[in-house]
Amino acid sequence: MKLKFWGCRGSIPVPDARMIEYGGNTTCLEVIINGRAVIIDSGTGIRKLGEEIINRGSKDIDLFITHSHWDHIQGFPFFKPIYSEDYNINIFGCKNSYKELKDILSNQMSFEYFPVKFADLNANINFDDNNKKYYTKYGYNIETIETNHPVTTIAFKFTNKNRSFVFMTDNELESKTPKTSLDDFVKFCRGADYLIHDAQFTEEEYSTSRGWGHSTFEQAMDLARRAEVGNLVFFHHDPNREDINLTELTAKYRIMSEDRGDSFNIITAKEQRIIDID
């Protein structure tokens, strides 16, 4: 199992020279399982991934959607495989509080916003948004848990034998009105080889952003420590966070982690980075 980051930014894409190293595209992660493309979220990063998938020649795609906020679905209309009848695309996700997932993706392609209607797409697209807690696919177990975010949002844990990773973006670990407790997050993440977690804010920034559904670097570190994970990956970078700032913060928190005697490594997600979990 390999992971490849195609978009690591939160909120809005940033085509800015100051964000080149870590990338400016919004959320998209590819999980490569036995040569098959499994995708989490369709932020703007999915556009380039679609071109790569076409070049590979693979025809079956699974797309998991964490939630319906714009930065996690806005790349879907630019995902080339949806325009070809050669592709079978299965879309999984949680049922939104207000609308079905199919309606959400269809509405963003209405003529007010986009020149091609969802109904005119040529791919064979199937939806499964029945709020499942557990999937078994390709020899892997995929578990879900609801995160603390203003709209219904889920995190995923992929496990194969004794190897696992957790993708938990858009999660406010210190929410005043939690949907899921910290103890439950710890249980969910326990022993994962990699925890990819929302770290949009510094502690100072969080003081004016509480309730927005995102965590700080230090909050993510606390979860990683409690859950005894192998590696913590900072993710969902703030759109104003420049490369130089991310590099400085990574160094700062690595020193802090070392001083505290943490057993996990710290990585900051960047576009095109590949993580091999096998």
Side-chain angles (χ1 to χ4, degrees):
M1 177 169 58
K2 294 183 179 180
L3 312 179
K4 186 170 183 178
F5 295 92
W6 293 89
C8 308
R9 195 68 56 171
S11 303
I12 190 171
V14 281
D16 190 315
R18 297 170 297 175
M19 284 79 164
I20 292 295
E21 181 179 356
Y22 294 92
N25 282 299
T26 58
T27 305
C28 183
L29 176 71
E30 180 185 16
V31 187
I32 304 170
I33 299 177
N34 299 325
R36 184 186 181 102
V38 178
I39 305 167
I40 304 179
D41 279 343
S42 58
T44 57
I46 202 171
R47 182 186 66 84
K48 290 182 68 176
L49 172 54
E51 296 173 354
E52 173 69 19
I53 287 174
I54 287 175
N55 290 335
R56 291 179 196 162
S58 51
K59 303 300 183 183
D60 296 306
I61 300 167
D62 288 340
L63 171 59
F64 288 83
I65 301 291
T66 60
H67 66 301
S68 62
H69 278 167
W70 188 234
D71 50 332
H72 296 259
I73 65 170
Q74 63 196 145
F76 183 80
F78 301 93
F79 185 50
K80 281 189 176 181
I82 64 177
Y83 296 96
S84 172
E85 61 184 10
D86 294 333
Y87 289 87
N88 298 303
I89 303 173
N90 300 308
I91 302 180
F92 305 87
C94 65
K95 190 174 296 183
N96 190 279
S97 305
Y98 311 104
K99 294 181 179 178
E100 301 283 342
L101 187 55
K102 181 177 181 179
D103 293 334
I104 291 167
L105 294 179
S106 298
N107 289 341
Q108 76 163 339
M109 295 182 71
S110 64
F111 280 148
E112 294 93 335
Y113 313 119
F114 201 73
V116 180
K117 292 186 296 184
F118 185 91
D120 293 334
L121 299 179
N122 294 319
N124 177 31
I125 301 175
N126 302 293
F127 287 88
D128 183 345
D129 55 356
N130 292 316
N131 292 353
K132 290 183 180 178
K133 297 291 185 182
Y134 198 86
Y135 300 88
T136 300
K137 301 178 78 62
Y138 327 118
Y140 287 73
N141 295 323
I142 306 171
E143 301 170 72
T144 70
I145 191 171
E146 186 172 2
T147 67
N148 297 325
H149 202 58
V151 70
T152 304
T153 305
I154 53 176
F156 298 99
K157 182 177 184 178
F158 284 65
T159 303
N160 177 249
K161 297 179 181 177
N162 62 340
R163 307 306 300 273
S164 65
F165 82 92
V166 174
F167 184 80
M168 189 174 286
T169 187
D170 292 64
N171 183 36
E172 187 168 1
L173 286 165
E174 295 188 6
S175 171
K176 290 184 177 179
T177 56
K179 301 173 183 177
T180 302
S181 70
L182 178 58
D183 285 344
D184 283 338
F185 286 133
V186 170
K187 292 176 184 176
F188 186 80
C189 299
R190 176 75 67 189
D193 294 286
Y194 286 85
L195 168 61
I196 302 167
H197 198 281
D198 183 310
Q200 182 157 341
F201 300 128
T202 63
E203 295 299 314
E204 182 181 9
E205 292 163 348
Y206 184 64
S207 65
T208 59
S209 306
R210 185 179 293 272
W212 292 10
H214 300 284
S215 294
T216 69
F217 293 87
E218 291 185 40
Q219 290 167 9
M221 289 169 63
D222 180 61
L223 174 59
R225 186 177 306 114
R226 291 171 183 248
E228 300 178 312
V229 304
N231 300 273
L232 171 63
V233 183
F234 293 140
F235 190 76
H236 205 268
H237 309 318
D238 190 274
N240 293 316
R241 192 86 64 211
E242 299 176 17
D243 289 336
I244 188 172
N245 302 134
L246 271 172
T247 298
E248 290 172 350
L249 287 168
T250 302
K252 170 186 173 180
Y253 289 117
R254 280 176 175 164
I255 292 171
M256 180 184 295
S257 182
E258 184 177 346
D259 289 343
R260 290 176 175 174
D262 292 333
S263 59
F264 57 83
N265 301 311
I266 288 178
I267 301 167
T268 298
K270 62 174 62 176
E271 285 183 31
Q272 301 299 304
R273 180 189 289 274
I274 296 174
I275 294 175
D276 193 337
I277 305 182
D278 291 328

